[in-house]
Amino acid sequence: MTDPQRPNQNGDFVTDARQELAGMLNDGMAHPSTKPVLLWGAAGAVAAAFLPFVSIPMGLAAGAGYKFYKRVRPD
């Protein structure tokens, strides 16, 4: 089943992720995925500050990466 909000989704993760990232880079903060990805990145960085074995950049990348993945593959 195709998502009506993602008309270009073809089932290939790499292609879908590339299109999503290109849209985020072109539209900036106006793109619907940019704010949630940045918010989850910030949350990951804050969580990493409290964990002794995780660095803040690693937490930022993990939080942003998780939300980006869930935006590309919501199921």
Side-chain angles (χ1 to χ4, degrees):
M1 180 172 171
T2 34
D3 187 355
Q5 297 201 353
R6 299 181 191 283
N8 297 326
Q9 186 174 359
N10 62 5
D12 181 27
F13 176 76
V14 174
T15 305
D16 293 343
R18 181 202 250 165
Q19 289 176 351
E20 187 74 13
L21 185 60
M24 289 171 66
L25 291 173
N26 286 336
D27 297 341
M29 293 301 283
H31 194 275
S33 292
T34 304
K35 291 176 188 172
V37 168
L38 291 176
L39 182 67
W40 275 77
V46 168
F50 294 108
L51 297 173
F53 56 90
V54 179
S55 67
I56 291 174
M58 188 171 146
L60 176 86
Y66 171 76
K67 190 59 176 179
F68 181 75
Y69 176 78
K70 293 307 283 181
R71 294 291 293 185
V72 175
R73 289 287 178 259
D75 39 345

